[in-house]
Amino acid sequence: MNAPVSPSRRALLQSGAVVLLLGAQQIARGASIVAVRVWPAPEYTRVTLESDTQLSARQFFVASPPRLAVDIDGIELDPALRELVAKVRPDDPFIAGIRVGQNAPGVMRLVIDLKQPALPQVFTLQPVAAYQHRLVFDLYPTQPPDPLEALISERLRDGPAPGTLVEPPAPPPTAHLPPAAQRDPLGDLIAQQSQRPVPPRVGSDRPAIPPVPPPAPAAPPVAVAPRPVAPTASRTDRIIIVALDPGHGGEDPGATGGGGTHEKDVVLRIAHLLRERINNTTIGGNPMRAFMTRDADFFVPLGVRVQKARRVQADLFISIHADAFTTPAARGASVFALSQSGASSSAARWLANKENEADLVGGLNVRAQDAHVQRALLDMSTTAQINDSLKLGHALLGEIGTLGRLHKGTVEQAGFAVLKAPDIPSVLVETAFISNPEEEARLRNPAYQVQLADALMRGIQGYFKRNPPLARSRSL
């Protein structure tokens, strides 16, 4: 049981001021804080305390005003905690501020003042890779963002892709409704959403999207000879969705080149460039839309990346990475698909094992309720998905090969966890070896990033040219 808190101390802790005791008490009697980090993102904000010894913490949440208080044993105020207070950004969607104070000898209290109600997760992580012991605070929204809703809102906000013919919604048929399997849930939602405002998310300063105005009244008919209607006319409410998965992020930097380039930063920039190209492209008259598993610097577990792609009914899944090896001589781009029967080479097996450790480095809360769901999801795969993935990989590899040397001229296979969506053709693209000084310099070059995005776009278009997307739109 904690010692009683005096009224004056309680008022000080709730005041929003930063409490720092300087002098001899700066020296921790037990553990020492070696680093502090804050990772804000719309999906959740993470706060990390890294220490040389495992920390023990007790948490309690106060609803009004919303704040999370955590008592950490075995540590006293440390100068490193001043960095944590200063790392809170004004645009953080969850954290308004952080306060620290000595609650009792050997017990430090950390209070996170929140901008909105949140569902906190507090857990510890054992040392891995370059990290020592970590105490992690994850702050999730009470209403998780819906990736499908976000995709719809983005399309309505941006409008149709250039050159796309958008027809007004047809009146509902009175008979002969098509089977449910032939309905396009995304197309239906877009048609519904276009008739009413989209409410802003909680805590968002983005105004509601106004409703689409009704079409102007038709002009009086003109007496002209009737013209036959082309039997191939169709509506364009079938969106082709490509899920882009920038590897790593947040606590997980991925590979780091000799010049200090982090894989997570390079692949995020390439993914943003590719998203622009996808969003301005049509395939067979149908608009394309890119969905990113992360669009900023935050960690996403491997299973969640797969779940997101399935939630938006993605047609393709492309995970973007920058390879690394133990020697700087390795070079060239590679493309990988899933394998059910072992890796196609020892190098592919080594790489898959390394990439599958992302959850350990990034910091997955294995005690979370959905952990079992994530693990079960990663056990599913199909032969048809792998065959389509190989076709996609071949199309991408052919285009990337025009930019320079390939590490392997064929699509390799291994048990990458992030490629195990059973119903989505999925590939992992290693754009280059970031551990190679020459290729690291190219990856940092904005002009080369544009060339990579263009090559990937051509590969996607080539794949769909030979493998048209399945029809999901309504019968007319």
Side-chain angles (χ1 to χ4, degrees):
M1 178 178 296
N2 295 334
V5 180
S6 65
S8 60
R9 183 180 293 273
R10 182 179 296 107
L12 186 59
L13 287 173
Q14 296 178 351
S15 66
V18 177
V19 182
L20 291 172
L21 305 182
L22 305 178
Q25 292 186 356
Q26 289 179 341
I27 303 175
R29 298 175 181 175
S32 296
I33 302 295
V34 298
V36 293
R37 294 177 290 275
V38 181
W39 306 100
E43 297 189 15
Y44 76 106
T45 288
R46 168 169 289 190
V47 178
T48 303
L49 304 183
E50 186 178 354
S51 61
D52 58 0
T53 305
Q54 182 170 334
L55 300 176
S56 174
R58 299 178 304 280
Q59 70 180 80
F60 52 94
F61 185 78
V62 181
S64 182
R67 59 194 184 276
L68 173 68
V70 182
D71 286 342
I72 305 173
D73 297 324
I75 191 170
E76 297 194 12
L77 284 173
D78 189 289
L81 292 171
R82 284 179 293 182
E83 298 181 22
L84 178 62
V85 175
K87 284 180 181 290
V88 177
R89 290 172 20 185
D91 61 347
D92 190 306
F94 295 97
I95 300 179
I98 295 178
R99 296 173 279 144
V100 292
Q102 202 71 48
N103 188 44
V107 179
M108 188 199 72
R109 173 162 292 181
L110 183 147
V111 180
I112 303 177
D113 296 305
L114 303 174
K115 295 179 179 178
Q116 59 173 299
L119 299 175
Q121 291 184 13
V122 180
F123 56 98
T124 59
L125 296 169
Q126 296 299 313
V128 64
Y131 292 120
Q132 299 187 51
H133 295 271
R134 285 177 287 175
L135 177 61
V136 178
F137 314 94
D138 283 348
L139 302 169
Y140 289 91
T142 55
Q143 294 293 331
D146 184 341
L148 186 59
E149 176 189 337
L151 196 64
I152 294 168
S153 299
E154 179 184 287
R155 184 186 179 225
L156 292 174
R157 182 175 64 251
D158 296 345
T164 302
L165 174 63
V166 179
E167 300 179 8
T174 56
H176 306 296
L177 286 174
Q182 298 180 10
R183 302 299 295 266
D184 178 9
L186 184 58
D188 292 342
L189 283 171
I190 291 173
Q192 296 168 9
Q193 294 288 339
S194 64
Q195 303 305 308
R196 63 175 184 267
V198 178
R201 299 181 187 274
V202 176
S204 172
D205 57 359
R206 182 187 302 164
I209 299 174
V212 176
V222 180
V224 295
R227 184 172 56 183
V229 178
T232 57
S234 61
R235 288 176 51 193
T236 57
D237 58 359
R238 164 66 161 104
I239 298 182
I240 299 173
I241 301 174
V242 179
L244 302 179
D245 176 50
H248 309 281
E251 289 283 285
D252 177 18
T256 300
T261 308
H262 292 314
E263 176 183 4
K264 67 174 183 177
D265 299 326
V266 169
V267 299
L268 182 61
R269 288 195 289 269
I270 296 172
H272 275 291
L273 291 169
L274 182 54
R275 177 171 68 174
E276 294 175 4
R277 284 149 180 76
I278 291 174
N279 289 352
N280 288 281
T281 302
T282 61
I283 297 291
N286 294 323
M288 297 186 71
R289 178 62 59 180
F291 170 77
M292 294 178 63
T293 59
R294 70 175 181 95
D295 58 2
D297 187 13
F298 61 97
F299 168 69
V300 182
L302 298 175
V304 175
R305 295 170 188 257
V306 179
Q307 287 178 317
K308 286 182 172 185
R310 300 190 74 205
R311 178 67 183 88
V312 299
Q313 305 175 44
D315 294 277
L316 301 178
F317 180 94
I318 301 176
S319 191
I320 305 174
H321 292 253
D323 210 345
F325 197 59
T326 54
T327 65
R331 61 186 301 154
S334 306
V335 178
F336 295 85
L338 183 65
S339 172
Q340 286 181 313
S341 57
S344 56
S345 69
S346 58
R349 183 183 303 107
W350 178 85
L351 179 63
N353 291 336
K354 181 172 68 73
E355 296 293 359
N356 290 346
E357 293 177 351
D359 281 352
L360 298 177
V361 179
L364 176 67
N365 183 9
V366 296
R367 293 174 295 178
Q369 293 182 356
D370 60 346
H372 297 295
V373 176
Q374 296 172 13
R375 297 303 180 191
L377 176 65
L378 298 181
D379 290 335
M380 300 186 297
S381 59
T382 66
T383 302
Q385 183 261 24
I386 292 176
N387 290 338
D388 287 338
S389 300
L390 290 171
K391 295 176 184 177
L392 172 62
H394 179 75
L396 295 174
L397 199 63
E399 295 296 338
I400 298 175
T402 63
L403 303 182
R405 175 179 173 179
L406 294 175
H407 187 67
K408 279 289 184 69
T410 59
V411 180
E412 294 205 76
Q413 294 179 259
F416 291 89
V418 78
L419 301 182
K420 294 187 178 181
D423 46 3
I424 306 173
S426 305
V427 296
L428 185 146
V429 178
E430 294 285 1
T431 54
F433 275 85
I434 201 170
S435 53
N436 180 294
E438 181 183 343
E439 294 199 340
E440 179 188 10
R442 297 179 73 188
L443 287 171
R444 294 170 62 103
N445 188 333
Y448 185 69
Q449 294 170 7
V450 168
Q451 292 178 339
L452 273 173
D454 288 338
L456 292 171
M457 186 69 244
R458 292 194 303 269
I460 293 171
Q461 291 173 302
Y463 169 80
F464 280 126
K465 182 178 180 180
R466 298 175 180 85
N467 306 274
L470 297 176
R472 290 188 305 198
S473 57
R474 291 183 293 268
S475 300
L476 296 179

